[in-house]
Amino acid sequence: MAIYEEQIMSIYTTAAAYNNQQDTLAQLFAEKDTGLLRSKRIIGCTTTAAAKYSGSLQSVSPDILLVEEAGEILESHVLTALSSRTSQLILIGDHKQLRPKVNNYDLTVEKGGGYDLNKSLFERLILRDYPHTKLTSQHRMRPEISALIRELTYPELSDAPKTQNRPDLRGVRDNI
């Protein structure tokens, strides 16, 4: 029985030493990442990466945070990317399109329970008349297609001149 206890203690000691080395290695990598980030003027990442590297980002403490597709990002993900030194938050996106994904229907806007976790910070601010700028002229869609969304969602949207008079699509009956 004593032999087994010695073997168990040996395995435990080896595993603890391994875990300590892993922690040291992770800390060294984080310090390297932080040093690299400090040398950059602009840092770009997804909100997933912002959560994963939150320690390094907090150490760098960027002054400005720019969030792309802000209408699709959970409010908590935006908040975790903020640092104590963040003085400006720029949100880019469309609050009328895809909402953030919440896996529990009871917590959604659609359920009406008041939790509204799938309402982004971006949408909340716009609905509270926070200062924002809207796209008024679209530059990609054929006018036949933009007419569809204009009627449904964007009545003030106009077509830029370069979208006009495009040749008909080859191989299809209609341009829509």
Side-chain angles (χ1 to χ4, degrees):
M1 190 65 148
I3 295 175
Y4 288 124
E5 287 178 8
E6 281 182 37
Q7 288 176 336
I8 290 171
M9 192 52 133
S10 174
I11 291 171
Y12 174 80
T13 303
T14 302
Y18 173 80
N19 288 338
N20 288 336
Q21 291 299 318
Q22 286 295 102
D23 291 344
T24 302
L25 188 59
Q27 184 179 358
L28 291 171
F29 277 122
E31 289 172 10
K32 180 185 78 75
D33 291 342
T34 300
L36 178 66
L37 291 174
R38 280 198 176 116
S39 70
K40 304 301 177 196
R41 245 183 80 219
I42 298 173
I43 302 166
C45 65
T46 63
T47 55
T48 302
K52 182 177 179 182
Y53 300 107
S54 64
S56 295
L57 288 172
Q58 292 296 325
S59 296
V60 174
S61 293
D63 297 332
I64 300 170
L65 179 64
L66 185 140
V67 179
E68 168 64 349
E69 296 296 351
E72 297 179 40
I73 298 174
L74 289 167
E75 187 169 339
S76 58
H77 292 190
V78 175
L79 296 177
T80 58
L82 296 173
S83 75
S84 59
R85 276 193 50 213
T86 303
S87 60
Q88 185 176 11
L89 174 62
I90 302 168
L91 302 173
I92 300 172
D94 188 343
H95 66 289
K96 294 182 179 181
Q97 288 189 20
L98 297 174
R99 281 201 158 126
K101 184 169 175 41
V102 174
N103 292 328
N104 186 336
Y105 180 74
D106 291 337
L107 302 176
T108 65
V109 171
E110 294 77 13
K111 173 67 176 177
Y115 295 103
D116 301 348
L117 292 186
N118 67 332
K119 186 182 285 187
S120 67
L121 174 63
F122 189 55
E123 183 177 359
R124 291 177 200 277
L125 291 172
I126 288 175
L127 293 177
R128 296 271 183 174
D129 291 325
Y130 201 81
H132 61 280
T133 303
K134 291 182 183 177
L135 179 72
T136 57
S137 180
Q138 69 87 16
H139 296 260
R140 292 183 180 176
M141 291 178 274
R142 302 179 66 86
E144 300 93 337
I145 296 173
S146 68
L148 297 172
I149 63 163
R150 189 176 297 110
E151 287 185 33
L152 295 171
T153 312
Y154 306 102
E156 67 284 349
L157 189 65
S158 66
D159 297 316
K162 73 177 189 176
T163 65
Q164 306 294 325
N165 302 319
R166 290 182 173 168
D168 289 339
L169 296 173
R170 293 187 305 185
V172 295
R173 190 177 335 175
D174 292 313
N175 290 321
I176 297 180

